[in-house]
Amino acid sequence: QVSQEEVSRLSKAPIQPPLLIHPDICKFSFIPRGIPPNLMPQTIISMFQDLGLISQYRIRMDTLAKFVLMTRKGYRDPPYHNWSHAFAVVHFCYLLLKNTHATSMIDSLEALALFVSCLCHDIDHRGTTNSYQVASGSVLAALYSSEGSVLERHHFAQTVCILNTEGCNILENLGQPEYRRALDLVQDIILATDLAQHLKKESQLKDMVKNYDATNSQHKLLLLCLLMTSCDLSDQAKSFENSKTIAERIYTEFFSQGDLERQIGRDPMEMMDRKKAIIPDLQISFLTSIALPVYRLFVCLCACVSVYLCVSV
Ligand SMILES: Cc1nc2ccc(C(=O)NCC(C)C)cc2n2c(-c3cc(OC(C)(C)C)ccc3Cl)nnc12
Ligand SMILES: [Mg+2]
Ligand SMILES: [Zn+2]
């Protein structure tokens, strides 16, 4: 729970335009960690405002304040999968929605669902992977291993839990069909952050990008998943110093998991083994095989769309 005093302080604070919070906040090169952690909740609220989502979906300010504070509380503090990661992902999503043609390809409900998904996509992450949940027989594995994407189902469940908490439902003023569609979108988008699911989609994503059809709901969903993974990986699209710092946090998590796996008598995979992992090699393969293709797809999509927009104008 969050204190009523904290909620009212945040909901009564005047909403400053993002640029007044930090002059570089609208630059793709901006490192969101440049925002002091105590200003993150109000920065998120000012991004909601700047995207026009508060008025469009008649979101009450005290409800939005409580939702953001509950979401922040929902994150644990592992080296990487923490609140500052969520904030960095939300910030990139804000820039995408403000700057790219994506806005002409998705409607405002999809933009709302994407933005909320970015904020909530790793809630209550423990700093261990899906396979570790199953190997260690965690409660989450007991709950979700039959469907797969164990952690991501939990992140979604936690999001619904917060929305169902008194005074936190920012979607309460949506019509019933819109509410249903928003929640279904948030579920699909958060589930798309399971790397295994993303890799399965590679060929569909390529096809969507090549001949994007806005009337095709499957294409629309694939686009939202691509936008989500672009945001989730966005620390790798910034300065080398930032990418290096973030990669070090990720391997701190991976190596701690490797230590845990050794303790339960399992042999950790190389990437999790602090004795065997060569981070530069691992990163070159991750960036070339996973991160770069995501951004290449995205650039290709924008190119296709801008041609499409010019033609259709
Ligand atoms: C810099 C950087 N290195 C990484 C190196 C390896 C892996 C990894 O999970 N290898 C698989 C093994 C463990 C079975 C992830 C890495 N990673 C991610 C990331 C991306 C994710 O999935 C999407 C967003 C869908 C791509 C999901 C989770 C994470 Cl931590 N974000 N930044 C990184
Ligand atoms: Mg995740
Ligand atoms: Zn993430």
Side-chain angles (χ1 to χ4, degrees):
Q1 289 304 342
V2 291
S3 74
Q4 195 43 47
E5 191 264 333
E6 206 179 359
V7 171
S8 55
R9 190 160 12 96
L10 180 59
S11 61
K12 289 193 176 61
I15 305 181
Q16 288 191 326
L19 277 170
L20 282 186
I21 295 175
H22 196 294
D24 302 334
I25 200 165
C26 288
K27 291 178 184 155
F28 272 99
S29 55
F30 181 65
I31 310 288
R33 282 164 196 78
I35 301 278
N38 64 317
L39 283 185
M40 288 180 185
Q42 75 186 68
T43 306
I44 289 167
I45 290 177
S46 92
M47 289 191 257
F48 262 100
Q49 169 74 7
D50 199 45
L51 292 170
L53 297 171
I54 294 179
S55 52
Q56 180 146 18
Y57 293 102
R58 298 189 308 287
I59 302 174
R60 285 169 48 112
M61 196 43 73
D62 53 350
T63 306
L64 181 55
K66 189 169 182 184
F67 176 79
V68 171
L69 291 170
M70 285 287 281
T71 301
R72 178 176 67 172
K73 208 169 184 67
Y75 278 86
R76 299 190 190 195
D77 201 23
Y80 176 69
H81 285 104
N82 51 44
W83 171 242
S84 74
H85 166 58
F87 182 75
V89 172
V90 164
H91 171 258
F92 198 81
C93 180
Y94 166 71
L95 294 187
L96 285 188
L97 294 176
K98 286 279 282 181
N99 292 286
T100 65
H101 304 295
T103 39
S104 65
M105 300 167 78
I106 60 174
D107 64 39
S108 55
L109 190 74
E110 290 155 349
L112 174 69
L114 180 63
F115 200 66
V116 169
S117 300
C118 283
L119 185 61
C120 303
H121 83 283
D122 274 331
I123 285 190
D124 198 33
H125 201 294
R126 290 91 196 280
T128 52
T129 60
N130 281 333
S131 51
Y132 182 77
Q133 303 314 312
V134 177
S136 61
S138 75
V139 172
L140 299 187
L143 281 168
Y144 304 117
S145 63
S146 52
E147 295 113 311
S149 302
V150 171
L151 284 167
E152 290 75 22
R153 287 187 195 284
H154 179 56
H155 303 320
F156 175 65
Q158 294 296 90
T159 304
V160 172
C161 207
I162 290 176
L163 286 171
N164 290 338
T165 303
E166 173 63 33
C168 292
N169 194 347
I170 57 172
L171 307 177
E172 62 199 341
N173 290 330
L174 270 63
Q176 189 49 33
E178 278 191 321
Y179 185 88
R180 184 73 257 154
R181 193 160 104 78
L183 270 196
D184 288 346
L185 285 168
V186 170
Q187 177 170 28
D188 290 335
I189 295 168
I190 291 182
L191 287 181
T193 60
D194 175 2
L195 180 53
Q197 290 311 310
H198 167 73
L199 294 173
K200 278 185 197 155
K201 283 196 187 106
E202 210 70 58
S203 57
Q204 288 171 282
L205 284 166
K206 280 199 185 85
D207 174 63
M208 175 272 289
V209 160
K210 285 210 178 61
N211 35 42
Y212 182 73
D213 170 7
T215 61
N216 176 335
S217 64
Q218 194 50 33
H219 277 195
K220 186 62 81 74
L221 187 58
L222 284 165
L223 168 66
L224 288 165
C225 296
L226 181 63
L227 293 172
M228 177 71 237
T229 44
S230 307
C231 297
D232 204 354
L233 288 167
S234 58
D235 273 309
Q236 296 309 312
K238 308 246 168 98
S239 69
F240 176 73
E241 192 220 348
N242 181 65
S243 305
K244 184 170 182 289
T245 304
I246 295 307
E248 280 157 0
R249 292 188 192 174
I250 288 174
Y251 287 95
T252 306
E253 272 191 21
F254 284 173
F255 294 165
S256 302
Q257 175 173 319
D259 299 345
L260 286 172
E261 284 167 339
R262 244 192 284 278
Q263 282 166 24
I264 62 172
R266 296 176 65 92
D267 219 18
M269 58 194 292
E270 184 194 293
M271 159 188 326
M272 311 271 172
D273 191 336
R274 62 175 81 252
K275 296 196 183 75
K276 292 181 193 155
I278 301 169
I279 293 181
D281 294 351
L282 291 167
Q283 275 300 289
I284 286 169
S285 63
F286 175 80
L287 294 173
T288 44
S289 62
I290 293 176
L292 262 176
V294 165
Y295 290 109
R296 282 210 179 98
L297 279 170
F298 184 65
V299 166
C300 176
L301 181 75
C302 288
C304 302
V305 164
S306 48
V307 168
Y308 161 84
L309 285 177
C310 300
V311 166
S312 55
V313 159

